Amino acid sequence: MLSRGVCGTSRQLAPALGYLGSRQKHSLPDLPYDYGALEPHINAQIMQLHHSKHHAAYVNNLNVTEEKYQEALAKGELLEAIKRDFGSFDKFKEKLTAASVGVQGSGWGWLGFNKERGHLQIAACPNQDPLQGTTGLIPLLGIDVWEHAYYLQYKNVRPDYLKAIWNVINWENVTERYMACKK
């Protein structure tokens, strides 16, 4: 665990640089009993409709709301900095994805903060080379492109993994790191 914040603050940040978050989508739980188990008081058709339609709609709406919340967290000063330094969020995403795909062998794709210039920068580091130690950039977001991070699910198709990783980035954490570095 980091004992100091990455910008000299005393705050504790995420335990690992490049923390990507672990939010998973909610799913409709199975009922612990058959739809017809409450008959004759509540029939199976009502139970099936309520569970598979109404309850499922609540779960789906929760997932949509959480996705919108994550997007909203990325807005504000961090989003403005991304637009300033990369032109748009989509261009930033393309550049960081390309840098991460381009890592030969194992390593990391990074969004870092250049404290001297006051700008965001993208970098890639091979193997276990630390971002700050090799580039001077303060790490805000790291994407692990070591094969162990994705091989079981995506095999050797790193671009598919990098497309999916954007769905689990912890923007709240990235924003906190950015705000701490600006001080």
Side-chain angles (χ1 to χ4, degrees):
M1 180 161 322
L2 297 172
S3 59
R4 293 181 347 172
V6 293
C7 298
T9 66
S10 60
R11 300 178 356 167
Q12 292 280 325
L13 294 176
L17 295 176
Y19 174 71
L20 297 175
S22 59
R23 188 185 72 78
Q24 295 183 2
K25 289 192 174 196
H26 301 278
S27 60
L28 181 66
D30 292 331
L31 288 178
Y33 49 84
D34 184 73
Y35 289 137
L38 302 178
E39 289 193 15
H41 310 288
I42 300 174
N43 73 27
Q45 185 179 10
I46 290 172
M47 289 302 297
Q48 182 177 13
L49 175 67
H50 186 273
H51 181 256
S52 66
K53 299 294 184 200
H54 297 294
H55 190 173
Y58 293 132
V59 172
N60 291 336
N61 289 337
L62 175 61
N63 286 325
V64 168
T65 300
E66 286 187 347
E67 287 173 17
K68 287 180 180 178
Y69 174 71
Q70 289 296 325
E71 291 170 11
L73 291 172
K75 293 183 179 175
E77 288 189 51
L78 176 60
L79 182 58
E80 291 306 312
I82 287 171
K83 288 178 182 177
R84 178 196 67 216
D85 297 337
F86 303 105
S88 70
F89 185 81
D90 287 337
K91 287 180 183 175
F92 153 69
K93 188 175 168 181
E94 289 172 18
K95 290 178 181 182
L96 183 53
T97 298
S100 301
V101 166
V103 172
Q104 295 297 313
S106 300
W108 293 79
W110 291 100
L111 171 64
F113 183 71
N114 183 322
K115 195 148 179 107
E116 289 178 19
R117 292 182 47 224
H119 286 278
L120 302 173
Q121 286 182 234
I122 291 173
C125 295
N127 304 314
Q128 296 174 355
D129 294 355
L131 180 67
Q132 196 162 5
T134 58
T135 67
L137 298 175
I138 299 166
L140 302 178
L141 168 65
I143 299 177
D144 184 352
V145 292
W146 285 67
E147 282 190 346
H148 68 255
Y150 61 88
Y151 195 83
L152 288 177
Q153 185 171 358
Y154 296 96
K155 306 300 181 231
N156 62 344
V157 188
R158 186 183 286 176
D160 287 352
Y161 160 70
L162 291 167
K163 182 178 178 184
I165 202 70
W166 291 97
N167 296 311
V168 296
I169 291 174
N170 183 339
W171 288 110
E172 184 174 9
N173 182 266
V174 177
T175 300
E176 287 173 4
R177 289 170 178 270
Y178 175 67
M179 298 308 290
C181 291
K182 287 184 53 180
K183 294 178 181 179

PDB file of all heavy atoms in Angstrom, residues 15-16 32 58-59 63 75 77 80 89 97 127 145 169 172:
ATOM      1  N   PRO A  15      -4.766   0.882  -3.215  1.00  0.00           N
ATOM      2  CA  PRO A  15      -3.625   0.055  -2.863  1.00  0.00           C
ATOM      3  C   PRO A  15      -2.678  -0.224  -4.022  1.00  0.00           C
ATOM      4  O   PRO A  15      -1.535  -0.544  -3.800  1.00  0.00           O
ATOM      5  CB  PRO A  15      -4.235  -1.242  -2.349  1.00  0.00           C
ATOM      6  CG  PRO A  15      -5.696  -1.089  -2.402  1.00  0.00           C
ATOM      7  CD  PRO A  15      -6.027   0.249  -2.951  1.00  0.00           C
ATOM      8  N   ALA A  16      -3.125  -0.127  -5.233  1.00  0.00           N
ATOM      9  CA  ALA A  16      -2.250  -0.416  -6.366  1.00  0.00           C
ATOM     10  C   ALA A  16      -2.385   0.700  -7.389  1.00  0.00           C
ATOM     11  O   ALA A  16      -3.462   1.198  -7.627  1.00  0.00           O
ATOM     12  CB  ALA A  16      -2.622  -1.745  -7.007  1.00  0.00           C
ATOM     13  N   PRO A  32     -35.318 -18.540  -4.726  1.00  0.00           N
ATOM     14  CA  PRO A  32     -34.929 -19.772  -4.033  1.00  0.00           C
ATOM     15  C   PRO A  32     -36.039 -20.823  -4.030  1.00  0.00           C
ATOM     16  O   PRO A  32     -35.944 -21.827  -3.331  1.00  0.00           O
ATOM     17  CB  PRO A  32     -34.619 -19.288  -2.613  1.00  0.00           C
ATOM     18  CG  PRO A  32     -35.448 -18.059  -2.444  1.00  0.00           C
ATOM     19  CD  PRO A  32     -35.538 -17.429  -3.808  1.00  0.00           C
ATOM     20  N   TYR A  58     -36.018  -3.566 -12.733  1.00  0.00           N
ATOM     21  CA  TYR A  58     -35.348  -2.815 -11.668  1.00  0.00           C
ATOM     22  C   TYR A  58     -33.830  -3.055 -11.694  1.00  0.00           C
ATOM     23  O   TYR A  58     -33.044  -2.134 -11.544  1.00  0.00           O
ATOM     24  CB  TYR A  58     -35.903  -3.198 -10.291  1.00  0.00           C
ATOM     25  CG  TYR A  58     -37.333  -2.786 -10.067  1.00  0.00           C
ATOM     26  CD1 TYR A  58     -38.260  -3.691  -9.566  1.00  0.00           C
ATOM     27  CD2 TYR A  58     -37.780  -1.495 -10.350  1.00  0.00           C
ATOM     28  CE1 TYR A  58     -39.583  -3.337  -9.356  1.00  0.00           C
ATOM     29  CE2 TYR A  58     -39.101  -1.129 -10.144  1.00  0.00           C
ATOM     30  CZ  TYR A  58     -40.001  -2.047  -9.648  1.00  0.00           C
ATOM     31  OH  TYR A  58     -41.297  -1.685  -9.447  1.00  0.00           O
ATOM     32  N   VAL A  59     -33.449  -4.296 -11.887  1.00  0.00           N
ATOM     33  CA  VAL A  59     -32.026  -4.629 -11.940  1.00  0.00           C
ATOM     34  C   VAL A  59     -31.372  -3.957 -13.151  1.00  0.00           C
ATOM     35  O   VAL A  59     -30.296  -3.357 -13.038  1.00  0.00           O
ATOM     36  CB  VAL A  59     -31.820  -6.164 -11.971  1.00  0.00           C
ATOM     37  CG1 VAL A  59     -30.361  -6.516 -12.234  1.00  0.00           C
ATOM     38  CG2 VAL A  59     -32.303  -6.790 -10.660  1.00  0.00           C
ATOM     39  N   ASN A  63     -28.349  -0.992 -13.230  1.00  0.00           N
ATOM     40  CA  ASN A  63     -27.115  -1.037 -14.014  1.00  0.00           C
ATOM     41  C   ASN A  63     -26.949   0.211 -14.872  1.00  0.00           C
ATOM     42  O   ASN A  63     -25.857   0.789 -14.947  1.00  0.00           O
ATOM     43  CB  ASN A  63     -27.070  -2.300 -14.880  1.00  0.00           C
ATOM     44  CG  ASN A  63     -26.786  -3.534 -14.077  1.00  0.00           C
ATOM     45  OD1 ASN A  63     -26.042  -3.504 -13.108  1.00  0.00           O
ATOM     46  ND2 ASN A  63     -27.391  -4.637 -14.457  1.00  0.00           N
ATOM     47  N   LYS A  75     -16.643  13.523 -15.532  1.00  0.00           N
ATOM     48  CA  LYS A  75     -16.864  14.872 -16.035  1.00  0.00           C
ATOM     49  C   LYS A  75     -16.203  15.880 -15.111  1.00  0.00           C
ATOM     50  O   LYS A  75     -15.563  15.533 -14.144  1.00  0.00           O
ATOM     51  CB  LYS A  75     -18.361  15.138 -16.178  1.00  0.00           C
ATOM     52  CG  LYS A  75     -18.980  14.290 -17.265  1.00  0.00           C
ATOM     53  CD  LYS A  75     -20.420  14.602 -17.455  1.00  0.00           C
ATOM     54  CE  LYS A  75     -20.972  13.724 -18.587  1.00  0.00           C
ATOM     55  NZ  LYS A  75     -22.382  13.881 -18.757  1.00  0.00           N
ATOM     56  N   GLU A  77     -13.550  18.748 -13.992  1.00  0.00           N
ATOM     57  CA  GLU A  77     -12.189  19.202 -14.288  1.00  0.00           C
ATOM     58  C   GLU A  77     -11.362  18.162 -15.040  1.00  0.00           C
ATOM     59  O   GLU A  77     -10.605  18.516 -15.932  1.00  0.00           O
ATOM     60  CB  GLU A  77     -11.477  19.609 -13.002  1.00  0.00           C
ATOM     61  CG  GLU A  77     -11.995  20.909 -12.427  1.00  0.00           C
ATOM     62  CD  GLU A  77     -11.135  21.406 -11.291  1.00  0.00           C
ATOM     63  OE1 GLU A  77      -9.911  21.497 -11.466  1.00  0.00           O
ATOM     64  OE2 GLU A  77     -11.703  21.691 -10.232  1.00  0.00           O
ATOM     65  N   GLU A  80     -12.481  18.116 -18.623  1.00  0.00           N
ATOM     66  CA  GLU A  80     -12.004  19.336 -19.297  1.00  0.00           C
ATOM     67  C   GLU A  80     -10.521  19.224 -19.623  1.00  0.00           C
ATOM     68  O   GLU A  80     -10.077  19.632 -20.698  1.00  0.00           O
ATOM     69  CB  GLU A  80     -12.301  20.570 -18.450  1.00  0.00           C
ATOM     70  CG  GLU A  80     -13.783  20.890 -18.356  1.00  0.00           C
ATOM     71  CD  GLU A  80     -14.459  21.016 -19.717  1.00  0.00           C
ATOM     72  OE1 GLU A  80     -13.924  21.723 -20.597  1.00  0.00           O
ATOM     73  OE2 GLU A  80     -15.522  20.388 -19.903  1.00  0.00           O
ATOM     74  N   PHE A  89     -12.716  13.163 -25.409  1.00  0.00           N
ATOM     75  CA  PHE A  89     -12.589  11.926 -24.646  1.00  0.00           C
ATOM     76  C   PHE A  89     -12.331  10.754 -25.585  1.00  0.00           C
ATOM     77  O   PHE A  89     -11.518   9.883 -25.287  1.00  0.00           O
ATOM     78  CB  PHE A  89     -13.842  11.670 -23.797  1.00  0.00           C
ATOM     79  CG  PHE A  89     -13.698  10.463 -22.917  1.00  0.00           C
ATOM     80  CD1 PHE A  89     -13.024  10.552 -21.714  1.00  0.00           C
ATOM     81  CD2 PHE A  89     -14.207   9.236 -23.303  1.00  0.00           C
ATOM     82  CE1 PHE A  89     -12.864   9.430 -20.902  1.00  0.00           C
ATOM     83  CE2 PHE A  89     -14.059   8.108 -22.504  1.00  0.00           C
ATOM     84  CZ  PHE A  89     -13.378   8.213 -21.303  1.00  0.00           C
ATOM     85  N   THR A  97      -5.556   3.543 -25.713  1.00  0.00           N
ATOM     86  CA  THR A  97      -5.721   2.170 -26.195  1.00  0.00           C
ATOM     87  C   THR A  97      -4.592   1.803 -27.149  1.00  0.00           C
ATOM     88  O   THR A  97      -3.987   0.726 -27.038  1.00  0.00           O
ATOM     89  CB  THR A  97      -7.094   1.990 -26.873  1.00  0.00           C
ATOM     90  OG1 THR A  97      -8.125   2.242 -25.900  1.00  0.00           O
ATOM     91  CG2 THR A  97      -7.265   0.591 -27.438  1.00  0.00           C
ATOM     92  N   ASN A 127       7.326  -4.051 -19.075  1.00  0.00           N
ATOM     93  CA  ASN A 127       7.576  -4.869 -17.892  1.00  0.00           C
ATOM     94  C   ASN A 127       7.037  -4.212 -16.628  1.00  0.00           C
ATOM     95  O   ASN A 127       5.897  -3.832 -16.579  1.00  0.00           O
ATOM     96  CB  ASN A 127       9.060  -5.200 -17.803  1.00  0.00           C
ATOM     97  CG  ASN A 127       9.539  -5.879 -19.069  1.00  0.00           C
ATOM     98  OD1 ASN A 127       8.897  -6.788 -19.573  1.00  0.00           O
ATOM     99  ND2 ASN A 127      10.641  -5.401 -19.613  1.00  0.00           N
ATOM    100  N   VAL A 145      -1.257  -4.548 -19.159  1.00  0.00           N
ATOM    101  CA  VAL A 145      -1.292  -5.345 -20.385  1.00  0.00           C
ATOM    102  C   VAL A 145      -0.355  -6.551 -20.309  1.00  0.00           C
ATOM    103  O   VAL A 145       0.067  -7.084 -21.315  1.00  0.00           O
ATOM    104  CB  VAL A 145      -1.025  -4.491 -21.661  1.00  0.00           C
ATOM    105  CG1 VAL A 145      -2.171  -3.543 -21.910  1.00  0.00           C
ATOM    106  CG2 VAL A 145       0.289  -3.739 -21.589  1.00  0.00           C
ATOM    107  N   ILE A 169     -13.309   1.032 -15.553  1.00  0.00           N
ATOM    108  CA  ILE A 169     -12.379   2.022 -14.994  1.00  0.00           C
ATOM    109  C   ILE A 169     -13.062   2.774 -13.858  1.00  0.00           C
ATOM    110  O   ILE A 169     -14.200   3.207 -13.977  1.00  0.00           O
ATOM    111  CB  ILE A 169     -11.873   2.983 -16.080  1.00  0.00           C
ATOM    112  CG1 ILE A 169     -10.953   2.211 -17.030  1.00  0.00           C
ATOM    113  CG2 ILE A 169     -11.151   4.176 -15.467  1.00  0.00           C
ATOM    114  CD1 ILE A 169     -10.494   3.000 -18.219  1.00  0.00           C
ATOM    115  N   GLU A 172     -13.850   7.676 -10.434  1.00  0.00           N
ATOM    116  CA  GLU A 172     -13.791   8.422  -9.170  1.00  0.00           C
ATOM    117  C   GLU A 172     -12.356   8.446  -8.650  1.00  0.00           C
ATOM    118  O   GLU A 172     -11.845   9.471  -8.230  1.00  0.00           O
ATOM    119  CB  GLU A 172     -14.742   7.802  -8.150  1.00  0.00           C
ATOM    120  CG  GLU A 172     -14.809   8.568  -6.857  1.00  0.00           C
ATOM    121  CD  GLU A 172     -15.859   8.018  -5.901  1.00  0.00           C
ATOM    122  OE1 GLU A 172     -16.433   6.937  -6.166  1.00  0.00           O
ATOM    123  OE2 GLU A 172     -16.106   8.693  -4.903  1.00  0.00           O
TER     124      GLU A 172
END
